[in-house]
Amino acid sequence: MTTTTVRRRALIAATLTGALALTACNSGGEADGGDDQLTIWMLTNEDSRVEAMDLMTSGFEEANPGVEIVVEERGTDAHKDAMRRAAGTEAGPDIYWYWRGPGLGGELVDLGVSLDMTEYYEEYGWDDRFTEPALANITQYGGYHGVPWTVQGQGIYYNKELFEQAGITDLPTSYDELVAVADQLAAAGTTPMALGGTVNWHVMRLLDNLLETFCGAETADRLNTEQTGWDSEACVTEAFTELQTWGDEYLNEGYMGVAQEDSAQLFFQGNAAMTIEGTWFNQQIVDNGMDPENVGVFLFPTDTNRIYGFGEGPYVNAMSDNPDLAAEFLDYITSAEIQEQVYQAWGAISVNREVEADTSNPLNSAWVEYFANAEGIFTNNDQNLSLEQTTEYWRIQNSVLTGDIAPEDAGTTFQGFVDSSS
Amino acid sequence: MTTHTSTAPRSASHPRGVNRGRGLRAVPFLVPATLLYVYFLAYPMVDSVRLSFFEWSGFRTEEPVWVGLQNYVRLFTADPVFWTAAKNSIIWVALSLALPVTLGLLIALGLNRAMLGRNTMRAVIYLPAVFAPITVAAMWRWIYNPTLGALNQFLTAVGLESWAQQWLGDPTFALYSVFAASVWTGVGFTMVLFLAGLQQVPPELVDAAKVDGAGRWQVFRNVTVPALRPTTAVVVILTIINSLKVFDLVVGMTGGGPAQSTQVLALWSYTQSFANHTFGLGGATATVLLIMSLALVVPYLVWALRGDDR
């Protein structure tokens, strides 16, 4: 090989490298295309949801020739990460799927990522379309952010056979009665409640309900919005004390080392009498071989008449070039005609008040009644608190359960963190 | 056949200008790898250190705010998890240097001699190293399951029911339970490195030592160990680095819990940045981890290289 050949090859290699580098610099363009394209970012869909999404996008494209809808799916963390990187840039989607609540959806609203859709609510009359709990999720930040899609309720699912075997005839209507039920189940040799501790948020459902029970609706809300101190409310200590009691006496053995899906198996296999789950659990019960007739659900007896729940759904990106088209699409997918065909892929109840719930699963009927009679919703604290606070909230919750933090120190410890982080 | 061996350096036979020309011609071939290295390794590392002096949520709509050393002050004085994570990382390094390294060496010594089924045993011991850490985590999570897991069921079956524990749910045991899975998956790799090192031990030196009346222990101590010095250096350095950056096994088995009791620095840095959206604190934790790594690896590397020079 001559020196000239080597030099020529080196020159070609250098040129290609330079071109590659320039290409790399130019990557990461806009996700959305022209005026007739809508880009939607959402969580990875299960099969039933993929079908529902196809139905909605193809239906809209047929009704609007020339319009193309591009759906990009990601896992939970990847989706959050993508939104963080795209926030405030033109690289984001037209519509993004996100959770409701000040901690998650609210963070993006505060950063100006979500478009205030007040004008579209007036134009399409959406105020009359959606149920009240669903709309409350949209208006909680001020203005109208996104459109309702799901409102998930969470309660105590119980195994009727195990309740019967323990001699329990009436469902608990107060916290003391719930504890009595747990005592009866434990005395009968049944694990009263199954929860998975490794994922934090599963046991958190118990703590959130205990705070609602002992603090009441108003104080619980004030705690979550930093209007009162966690160290100044006696009810916080009471809630953590009860949490410790549940951990010591009523939860499945070794729950702190068990994931949520493993604890669910204890319930499905009849090894635990109760668990705290949500409306999505109605279908999972069937999928895991349980007869829904043998399962019941009741609301945690907080005595506030609020449903423990949360919402999720589509928001319109404030940077979208096609907000009108995005609103038109959202109007289409939340219409009664489409909702009747797709809502069950996401939950037990549609957010459209005209759509009646499918009551072939008796658990769906129970939720319809609970939502009809509830006086509002209190949201999971991992959606109320900031991300940083949530991590600490879980650490304190688990430390109380492992005995590393005394219940009476829990509120002070958390308030100390809130103060130092702000 | 006559063999001619030149003792002069090869470069000495070429004029200086030719060498410089060859060096320049090599540059374009080195550029792609250098660019990738700088972009994917050097830049994120430097940027992580830079971020540790800022407060930033990670959102591009928010500008990072310069806070000087405030993140470090908060990390050392107010972060409720940092010291637990630091302690756990140090415990992990110490245990990794003690257990998998010793076990790997002993197994390598045992399987370096001629015996029936030697290759099969080597393969079996190395096998866990080929599993993805997240798969290992899932397997061991089931083994440790307090009610349905193999470990507690085995203990119960052999009459040791009182030894059954909440292996991942009790902060006293959780870190060590995760570490046991790490030993299972890591010892095979260490064994392979030592086996390779043992092939470099000059057999004539071993024979000479035996002729001089040295026993097994004396041969091991005075011949094998010095000959394994370069291999040991590699094993120790890799062990320290891998221990400090342990992440996936902890995520898969405990997520850092219960109550952050199995938290380690690498995972805590990730959690602060990507879960808590506090990139400044995450950067500060990563910087501390970088300094710890350098403080442990560099002195050992210098010592090991000096030994080579001798």
Side-chain angles (χ1 to χ4, degrees), chain A residues 281-349:
Chain A
F281 205 56
N282 300 359
Q283 186 57 41
Q284 289 181 17
I285 282 168
V286 179
D287 293 343
N288 283 276
M290 280 189 101
D291 181 357
E293 295 287 349
N294 187 37
V295 179
V297 59
F298 61 91
L299 299 183
F300 196 102
T302 57
D303 203 28
T304 62
N305 203 24
R306 297 201 297 182
I307 287 184
Y308 181 51
F310 62 89
E312 53 198 344
Y315 296 76
V316 173
N317 189 347
M319 298 289 285
S320 168
D321 291 331
N322 296 320
D324 295 342
L325 188 64
E328 200 179 330
F329 176 69
L330 295 178
D331 182 62
Y332 173 76
I333 63 173
T334 55
S335 65
E337 183 195 346
I338 299 299
Q339 277 291 296
E340 275 167 4
Q341 300 173 69
V342 302
Y343 83 90
Q344 283 192 81
W346 277 273
I349 299 164

Side-chain angles (χ1 to χ4, degrees), chain A residues 206-257:
Chain A
L206 176 61
L207 176 59
D208 289 353
N209 277 287
L210 289 169
L211 283 165
E212 177 84 356
T213 305
F214 287 92
C215 296
E218 194 184 334
T219 305
D221 286 347
R222 285 165 57 80
L223 284 168
N224 295 334
T225 50
E226 295 184 29
Q227 292 174 53
T228 185
W230 290 74
D231 53 348
S232 58
E233 300 290 343
C235 61
V236 173
T237 299
E238 287 180 82
F240 275 101
T241 305
E242 287 303 309
L243 176 74
Q244 196 177 47
T245 304
W246 277 85
D248 290 344
E249 296 179 24
Y250 305 130
L251 297 187
N252 46 306
E253 191 191 338
Y255 64 95
M256 285 297 278

Side-chain angles (χ1 to χ4, degrees), chain A residues 86-404:
Chain A
T89 74
E90 292 188 348
D94 297 294
I95 296 171
Y96 65 94
W97 187 273
Y98 227 64
W99 299 267
R100 310 293 182 193
L104 289 172
E107 186 177 35
L108 293 184
V109 170
D110 288 345
L111 289 163
V113 178
S114 165
L115 178 75
D116 184 345
M117 300 182 72
T118 303
E119 62 172 296
Y120 297 109
Y121 272 75
E122 286 167 5
E123 182 182 339
Y124 290 105
W126 285 342
D127 268 327
D128 300 325
R129 172 176 288 184
F130 301 115
T131 60
E132 272 181 38
L135 266 179
N137 273 328
I138 302 301
T139 54
Q140 63 180 304
Y141 319 104
Y144 289 82
H145 287 276
V147 296
W149 193 254
T150 63
V151 180
Q152 311 281 16
Q154 297 151 103
I156 298 179
Y157 284 75
Y158 68 99
N159 183 317
K160 289 180 182 173
E161 245 172 56
L162 294 177
F163 265 47
E164 203 179 306
Q165 284 168 19
I168 301 161
T169 49
D170 297 320
L171 292 179
T173 54
S174 68
Y175 180 71
D176 288 342
E177 286 178 18
L178 177 65
V179 172
V181 161
D183 278 330
Q184 258 181 285
L185 288 162
T190 302
T191 300
M193 183 175 279
L195 293 176
T198 59
V199 291
N200 303 310
W201 44 260
H202 205 202
V203 174
M204 179 198 71
R205 292 178 188 163
L206 176 61
L207 176 59
D208 289 353
N209 277 287
L210 289 169
L211 283 165
E212 177 84 356
T213 305
F214 287 92
C215 296
E218 194 184 334
T219 305
D221 286 347
R222 285 165 57 80
L223 284 168
N224 295 334
T225 50
E226 295 184 29
Q227 292 174 53
T228 185
W230 290 74
D231 53 348
S232 58
E233 300 290 343
C235 61
V236 173
T237 299
E238 287 180 82
F240 275 101
T241 305
E242 287 303 309
L243 176 74
Q244 196 177 47
T245 304
W246 277 85
D248 290 344
E249 296 179 24
Y250 305 130
L251 297 187
N252 46 306
E253 191 191 338
Y255 64 95
M256 285 297 278
V258 171
Q260 179 267 341
E261 60 263 33
D262 301 336
S263 75
Q265 288 304 321
L266 293 175
F267 184 79
F268 296 141
Q269 291 166 15
N271 294 320
M274 297 186 285
T275 187
I276 303 178
E277 288 293 347
T279 33
W280 60 86
F281 205 56
N282 300 359
Q283 186 57 41
Q284 289 181 17
I285 282 168
V286 179
D287 293 343
N288 283 276
M290 280 189 101
D291 181 357
E293 295 287 349
N294 187 37
V295 179
V297 59
F298 61 91
L299 299 183
F300 196 102
T302 57
D303 203 28
T304 62
N305 203 24
R306 297 201 297 182
I307 287 184
Y308 181 51
F310 62 89
E312 53 198 344
Y315 296 76
V316 173
N317 189 347
M319 298 289 285
S320 168
D321 291 331
N322 296 320
D324 295 342
L325 188 64
E328 200 179 330
F329 176 69
L330 295 178
D331 182 62
Y332 173 76
I333 63 173
T334 55
S335 65
E337 183 195 346
I338 299 299
Q339 277 291 296
E340 275 167 4
Q341 300 173 69
V342 302
Y343 83 90
Q344 283 192 81
W346 277 273
I349 299 164
S350 171
V351 289
N352 187 315
R353 59 173 78 228
E354 289 176 30
V355 178
E356 288 186 11
D358 175 9
T359 52
S360 58
N361 184 329
L363 293 164
N364 289 350
S365 315
W367 278 111
V368 171
E369 195 185 324
Y370 291 139
F371 272 105
N373 297 324
E375 291 173 15
I377 282 181
F378 67 105
T379 308
N380 300 41
N381 268 347
D382 59 347
Q383 294 183 36
N384 285 324
L385 304 170
S386 72
L387 295 167
E388 196 183 7
Q389 288 171 353
T390 298
T391 302
E392 178 65 355
Y393 181 70
W394 286 340
R395 185 187 75 86
I396 293 168
Q397 157 199 297
N398 293 337
S399 296
V400 167
L401 287 164
T402 57
D404 292 322

Side-chain angles (χ1 to χ4, degrees), chain A residues 6 84-85 88 387-388 391, chain B residues 25 60 74 274 276-277:
Chain A
V6 172
R84 185 173 52 238
R85 280 187 280 112
L387 295 167
E388 196 183 7
T391 302
Chain B
R25 285 199 301 275
R60 292 173 71 166
R74 192 173 156 202
F274 294 97
N276 291 355
H277 289 187

